């Protein structure tokens, strides 16, 4: 069931910029349970911080298969029944089914037998690999993931870690002979409180906590006639016979048969491999505890709160503010002093020369001035010979008025990239703001990805509009060609990567493999919704909106760019230096984002208030650094600024990818990980950095474009 949530905006003041606990809209998602009412327990997936592959829990070969029988007559709910998932849940690898475990509100169970699972050698080896890689499991009750609890530094505050471990490893002999133990008994604790209003008067309860305490119970534990352990003993005891060790027996080499006819045929070999070698008894206990200290609206707080993190988030904000403030000061100096001084000196030279032809005087060519429409304004496109001599001392960017708005090379690619950047920016801003406001939160499972896909598709209007208008402003005429490139430039890059990744993870049986039907649905969404929206935006830009006005027109012969440029204007140094400043604004917050994505998946990243402010500072910084870099390039008499402005804005993505490489090898121990894990990490990181680069590149270009139009539009004498 989709949860509709809301929250307080976290962007009004700095004091409100902090992780916001999600709360629900009463009457929509609040669910109360009557005494002895059955509570469905859903099983989802197994995931690990040590690898990027995750699996559907129900499909693991060593767990209890569902009986696929209705639990109660007429309730319409079967065990093993797959729960309908939204798009985001499917894309993130959720596979939710109903389990056989029986939970009834307020009814404790000291022990219940779930099943006895007979596993083969292959399944046993698979279970050892799963335990060795540190996999954890996500179960769900009333939309709450089952959690393991922990308390920091002997404090009284309890924190939740989503999921529980499938097993554990016990090191022997300095780690040379590790033992692997599987958890096969689960103590489930359901915390509840009285429901409000009439439901509470009827004795109904709300679930405010779901905790799971797994144990490994081996053959050494005495069991009753139902298979339940009689005395589980102290927790954590793994003495001889107490834990269920996943010990694969050695294969005894068989003697060679006397002749070839006595050898086992293929069917016999298959039967031998599928022969069970270990029986795993799975049991569970259920306890209900009343807890009036937890408000239902704040039951997610323990999942979201992490100790000692607010200080670092505030440090990231202070760091970003300082860097952005210093850069803003530099830009203000350039705009308020240097550029204004250049413009004034240019006007003074023009007035002293007295040779600039006024509009409406002299030669009548029927052409309108491009710097203004009022009489008396100087038009730099109509310089007389004497006026040229009067402005011989003019240098720098003022010399480029006839070339600065020349159409860049491959404008048919630049315009779609800028348009796609605005589309992605629309999606990113929408996701961050909705998350900071509490609308998107972990209780809305898969909501972040689902809403992101929706915003991206709707942003096709912006992509078509900005791409079409920019393309038209630089002389483009083919509306259809521009729209086709705009709608296909991102899918042309993303779709092959998605298909390759999907084949790789599908070959390893991972639940993150996107089903074929979902891929078809995404293609239909792109073809049926986004493409028409892109064409509509392009049509509006060509037919309804005027192209952006350029203060000057380009001459037929381009001005020669000086061959010798300062070293910091060369391609590699300019990208490295320009991208460092925006990266310095965000790199502290990147640590938490990377931890949540790659290393600490059991904890949710939910500091979207901090992220919203830091992201705003990043965009401001990108715009400012692009303006400064463009001004410096124009000052060096280089009029080919358009692609460099886009590259300057996108250059911080290079630093982010470099940070990803460092994080993988230093923080994640990349040298000890497999080739598949490295491939998945760097493929996803490269895709994320490319998206980030397109967004910041569009921001940088549009800021530089507005700056160039502004300063050349100011070169006029009244």
């Amino acid at each position: 069931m989709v949860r509709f949530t809301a929250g307080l905006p976290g962007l009004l003041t700095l004091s409100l910029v902090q992780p916001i606990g999600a709360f629900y809209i009463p009457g929509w998602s609040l669910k109360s349970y009557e005494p002895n009412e059955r509570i469905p327990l859903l099983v989802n997936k197994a995931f690990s911080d040590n690898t990027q592959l995750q699996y559907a829990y129900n499909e693991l070969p060593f767990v209890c298969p569902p009986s696929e029988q209705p639990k109660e007559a007429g309730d319409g709910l079967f065990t093993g029944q797959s729960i309908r998932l939204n798009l985001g849940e499917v894309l993130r690898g959720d596979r939710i089914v109903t389990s056989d475990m029986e939970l009834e509100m307020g009814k404790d169970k000291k022990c219940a037998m779930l099943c006895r699972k007979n596993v083969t050698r292959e399944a046993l080896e698979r279970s050892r690999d799963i335990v060795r890689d540190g996999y954890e499991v996500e179960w769900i009750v009333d939309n709450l993931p089952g959690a393991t609890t922990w308390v920091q530094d002997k404090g009284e505050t309890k924190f939740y870690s989503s999921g529980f471990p499938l097993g554990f490893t016990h090191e022997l002999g300095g780690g040379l002979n590790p033992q692997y133990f599987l958890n096969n008994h689960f103590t489930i604790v359901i915390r509840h409180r009285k429901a409000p209003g009439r439901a509470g008067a009827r004795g109904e309860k709300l679930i405010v906590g779901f905790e799971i305490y797994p144990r490994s119970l081996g053959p050494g534990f005495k069991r009753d006639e139902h298979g339940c352990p009689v005395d589980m003993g102290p927790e954590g005891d793994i003495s001889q016979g107490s834990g269920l060790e996943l010990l694969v027996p050695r294969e005894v080499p068989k003697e060679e048969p006397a002749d070839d006819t006595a050898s086992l045929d293929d069917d016999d070999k298959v039967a031998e491999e599928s022969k069970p070698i270990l029986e795993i008894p799975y049991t569970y206990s259920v306890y209900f505890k009343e807890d009036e200290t937890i408000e239902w609206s704040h039951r997610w707080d323990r999942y979201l709160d992490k100790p000692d993190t607010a200080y670092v988030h505030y440090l990231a904000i202070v760091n970003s503010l300082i860097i952005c403030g210093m850069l803003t000061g530099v830009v203000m100096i350039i705009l308020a002093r240097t550029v204004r001084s250049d413009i004034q000196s240019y006007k003074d030279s023009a007035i002293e020369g007295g040779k600039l032809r006024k509009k409406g005087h002299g030669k009548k060519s029927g052409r309108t001035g491009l710097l203004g429409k009022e009489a008396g304004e100087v038009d730099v496109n109509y310089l007389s010979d004497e006026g040229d001599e009067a402005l011989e001392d003019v240098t720098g960017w003022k010399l480029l008025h006839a070339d600065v708005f020349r159409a860049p090379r491959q404008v048919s690619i630049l315009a779609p990239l800028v348009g796609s950047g605005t589309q992605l920016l629309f999606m990113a801003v929408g996701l961050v703001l909705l998350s900071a406001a509490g609308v998107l939160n972990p209780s809305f499972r898969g909501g972040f990805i689902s809403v992101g896909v929706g915003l991206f598709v709707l942003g096709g209007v912006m992509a078509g509009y900005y791409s079409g208008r920019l393309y038209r402003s630089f002389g483009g005429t083919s509306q259809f060609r521009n729209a086709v490139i705009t709608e296909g430039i991102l899918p042309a890059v993303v779709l092959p990567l998605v298909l390759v990744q999907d084949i790789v993870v599908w070959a390893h049986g991972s639940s993150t493999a996107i089903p074929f039907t979902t891929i078809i649905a995404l293609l239909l969404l792109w073809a049926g919704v986004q493409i028409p929206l892109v064409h509509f935006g392009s049509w509006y830009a060509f037919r309804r909106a005027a192209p952006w006005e350029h203060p000057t027109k380009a001459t037929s012969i381009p001005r020669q760019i000086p061959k010798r440029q300062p070293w910091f204007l060369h391609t590699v140094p300019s990208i490295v230096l320009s991208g460092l400043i925006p990266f310095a604004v965000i790199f502290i917050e990147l640590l938490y984002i990377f931890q949540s994505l790659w290393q600490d998946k059991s904890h949710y990243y939910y500091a979207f208030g901090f992220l919203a402010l830091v992201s705003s500072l990043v965009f401001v910084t990108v715009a400012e650094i692009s303006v400064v870099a463009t001004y410096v390039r124009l000052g060096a008499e280089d009029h080919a600024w358009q692609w460099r402005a886009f590259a300057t804005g996108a250059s911080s993505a290079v630093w982010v990818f470099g940070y990803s490489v460092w994080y993988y090898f230093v923080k994640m121990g990349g040298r000890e990980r497999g080739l598949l894990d490295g491939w998945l990490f760097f493929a996803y990181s490269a895709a994320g950095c490319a998206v980030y680069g397109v967004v910041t590149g569009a921001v940088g270009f549009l800021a530089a474009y507005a700056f160039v139009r502004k300063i050349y539009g100011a070169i006029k004498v009244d």
Side-chain angles (χ1 to χ4, degrees):
M1 180 176 62
V2 176
R3 307 289 183 179
F4 296 89
T5 58
L8 295 175
L11 306 176
L12 298 180
T13 61
L14 181 61
S15 62
L16 293 180
V17 181
Q18 55 183 322
I20 302 173
F23 66 94
Y24 304 87
I25 300 177
W28 285 89
S29 54
L30 186 147
K31 168 65 176 175
S32 59
Y33 294 89
E34 299 177 354
N36 299 324
E37 180 180 354
R38 190 170 68 86
I39 304 172
L41 190 150
L42 312 176
V43 296
N44 188 6
K45 59 187 177 183
F47 60 91
S48 173
D49 296 336
N50 301 315
T51 178
Q52 308 313 318
L53 292 175
Q54 63 185 33
Y55 304 98
Y57 175 78
N58 199 51
E59 296 176 1
L60 295 176
F62 52 88
V63 302
C64 292
S67 59
E68 299 184 0
Q69 296 295 327
K71 302 301 292 182
E72 291 183 7
D75 68 355
L77 189 63
F78 290 76
T79 61
Q81 176 181 340
S82 296
I83 305 301
R84 293 187 60 183
L85 306 176
N86 59 45
L87 179 61
E89 290 175 309
V90 174
L91 293 179
R92 74 175 197 165
D94 287 355
R95 300 295 183 266
I96 305 177
V97 298
T98 308
S99 74
D100 281 346
M101 299 186 189
E102 298 179 352
L103 279 64
E104 299 176 65
M105 174 55 72
K107 187 176 180 180
D108 293 345
K109 288 185 179 181
K110 185 176 180 180
C111 181
M113 171 59 68
L114 184 59
C115 80
R116 294 180 181 272
K117 178 65 176 180
N118 292 313
V119 296
T120 62
R121 174 180 293 274
E122 181 181 0
L124 187 57
E125 292 176 347
R126 177 77 182 281
S127 65
R128 286 169 58 89
D129 294 338
I130 292 288
V131 171
R132 181 197 60 203
D133 291 335
Y135 272 83
E136 299 184 4
V137 180
E138 182 180 83
W139 291 355
I140 304 168
V141 165
D142 194 41
N143 202 39
L144 282 177
T148 51
T149 62
W150 55 283
V151 179
Q152 187 190 36
D153 298 333
K154 298 181 180 180
E156 297 181 356
T157 303
K158 181 185 291 186
F159 298 95
Y160 278 177
S161 178
S162 177
F164 64 91
L166 263 171
F168 60 91
T169 303
H170 182 56
E171 304 288 349
L172 291 176
L176 299 178
N177 299 302
Q179 292 177 298
Y180 302 104
F181 294 87
L182 182 69
N183 292 322
N184 61 330
H185 179 83
F186 313 102
T187 300
I188 300 171
V189 177
I190 304 294
R191 298 187 179 274
H192 60 86
R193 62 174 295 143
K194 183 180 179 181
R198 295 181 179 178
R202 295 192 299 265
E204 297 183 14
K205 305 291 184 180
L206 302 176
I207 295 177
V208 294
F210 176 30
E211 303 168 5
I212 300 176
Y213 302 91
R215 292 288 306 276
S216 179
L217 305 180
F221 283 96
K222 184 179 179 181
R223 298 177 181 270
D224 59 18
E225 65 276 9
H226 301 293
C228 288
V230 176
D231 183 12
M232 289 188 291
E235 186 175 357
D237 180 19
I238 55 173
S239 59
Q240 184 177 4
S242 62
L244 181 61
E245 184 179 0
L246 300 173
L247 184 61
V248 180
R250 293 184 179 181
E251 292 187 85
V252 179
K254 298 182 179 180
E255 296 181 0
E256 294 293 332
D259 52 18
D260 294 338
T261 58
S263 61
L264 295 175
D265 57 19
D266 293 339
D267 293 338
D268 293 332
K269 291 180 180 179
V270 172
E272 184 70 20
E273 292 176 355
S274 60
K275 182 179 178 180
I277 61 175
L278 177 66
E279 182 184 72
I280 303 177
Y282 283 96
T283 55
Y284 66 98
S285 304
V286 182
Y287 297 96
F288 288 85
K289 294 185 178 181
E290 187 171 6
D291 193 339
E292 295 291 336
T293 63
I294 305 176
E295 294 290 339
W296 191 84
S297 58
H298 294 283
R299 63 179 187 164
W300 276 88
D301 289 358
R302 291 184 176 181
Y303 295 90
L304 305 179
D305 292 340
K306 295 181 67 175
D308 302 332
T309 58
Y311 170 78
V312 182
H313 284 297
Y314 281 113
L315 178 63
I317 290 177
V318 172
N319 170 75
S320 303
L321 286 172
I322 292 175
I323 296 175
C324 186
M326 294 177 62
L327 185 59
T328 301
V330 173
V331 173
M332 290 299 101
I333 291 175
I334 292 176
L335 294 178
R337 299 185 61 181
T338 307
V339 176
R340 183 177 296 177
S341 176
D342 286 349
I343 294 174
Q344 189 59 45
S345 64
Y346 185 88
K347 290 182 178 181
D348 293 342
S349 298
I351 294 174
E352 290 176 3
K355 302 299 182 180
L356 289 176
R357 197 178 300 276
K358 301 283 185 176
K359 293 180 185 177
H361 299 278
K363 181 179 179 180
K364 296 182 179 179
S365 62
R367 297 170 63 185
T368 58
L370 294 173
L371 289 178
K373 296 184 179 180
E374 297 181 1
E377 294 179 347
V378 172
D379 187 350
V380 295
N381 290 302
Y382 302 105
L383 290 176
S384 64
D385 296 337
E386 295 83 354
D388 286 334
E389 295 175 0
L391 297 176
E392 286 181 354
D393 59 337
V394 174
T395 59
W397 62 270
K398 301 177 289 297
L399 292 176
L400 305 180
H401 58 80
D403 295 280
V404 72
F405 293 107
R406 189 178 303 279
R409 295 181 179 179
Q410 299 297 327
V411 67
S412 59
I413 301 298
L414 178 61
L417 281 176
V418 173
S420 298
T422 60
Q423 179 183 13
L424 292 170
L425 180 63
F426 171 75
M427 178 190 72
V429 171
L431 286 175
V432 172
L433 291 181
L434 289 174
S435 299
V439 177
L440 297 179
N441 56 73
S443 68
F444 184 4
R445 198 177 307 276
F448 192 87
I449 299 178
S450 298
V451 174
V453 172
L455 291 175
F456 177 79
V457 171
L458 294 178
V461 175
M462 299 184 63
Y465 173 78
Y466 280 96
S467 175
R469 195 168 183 188
L470 180 62
Y471 179 69
R472 187 184 177 196
S473 299
F474 280 110
T477 57
S478 178
Q479 173 190 339
F480 180 78
R481 180 172 181 267
N482 172 257
V484 169
I485 296 177
T486 302
E487 71 201 17
I489 193 168
L490 284 181
V493 177
V494 174
L495 185 59
L497 177 62
V498 170
L499 292 178
V500 171
Q501 294 288 83
D502 204 49
I503 293 173
V504 170
V505 296
W506 173 80
H508 287 79
S510 175
S511 64
T512 51
I514 305 175
F516 179 75
T517 53
T518 303
I519 295 178
I520 297 299
L522 289 173
L523 291 176
L524 291 176
L525 186 65
W526 171 69
V529 181
Q530 181 180 337
I531 287 180
L533 290 178
V534 171
H535 279 274
F536 173 77
S538 180
W539 171 84
Y540 191 88
F542 271 82
R543 307 300 178 186
R544 296 291 183 178
W548 281 305
E549 182 179 355
H550 293 164
T552 62
K553 283 188 176 181
T555 58
S556 58
I557 301 176
R559 181 185 183 90
Q560 186 176 3
I561 300 174
K563 294 183 179 180
R564 303 189 64 179
Q565 295 286 349
W567 66 269
F568 53 82
L569 292 183
H570 295 170
T571 302
V572 174
S574 63
I575 290 178
V576 172
L577 294 176
S578 301
L580 179 59
I581 298 178
F583 171 74
V585 172
I586 199 175
F587 86 96
I588 297 180
E589 197 64 31
L590 275 179
L591 176 64
Y592 289 96
I593 297 175
F594 274 54
Q595 282 182 346
S596 178
L597 287 175
W598 307 114
Q599 270 195 302
D600 198 5
K601 300 172 186 175
S602 58
H603 288 93
Y604 302 100
Y605 178 85
Y606 206 64
F608 286 101
F610 290 105
L611 183 61
L613 182 56
V614 172
S615 299
S616 301
L617 296 176
V618 169
F619 291 138
V620 171
T621 304
V622 166
E624 291 175 342
I625 199 67
S626 297
V627 167
V628 173
T630 300
Y631 176 75
V632 173
R633 180 164 296 280
L634 294 177
E637 300 181 11
D638 184 355
H639 57 79
W641 60 272
Q642 293 93 339
W643 274 107
R644 289 299 182 91
F646 185 90
T648 298
S651 58
S652 60
V654 177
W655 283 88
V656 175
F657 186 76
Y659 181 83
S660 302
V661 176
W662 172 85
Y663 190 90
Y664 180 75
F665 286 103
V666 176
K667 292 290 187 179
M668 296 177 59
R671 292 182 179 85
E672 301 175 359
R673 292 174 176 258
L675 180 62
L676 174 63
D677 200 56
W679 160 258
L680 293 175
F681 177 87
F682 287 113
Y684 287 128
S685 297
C689 291
V691 169
Y692 171 77
V694 172
V695 173
T696 53
V699 171
F701 173 84
L702 292 175
Y705 187 35
F707 170 74
V708 172
R709 290 168 55 212
K710 184 69 174 179
I711 62 174
Y712 283 96
I715 305 179
K716 50 189 176 183
V717 182
D718 297 330

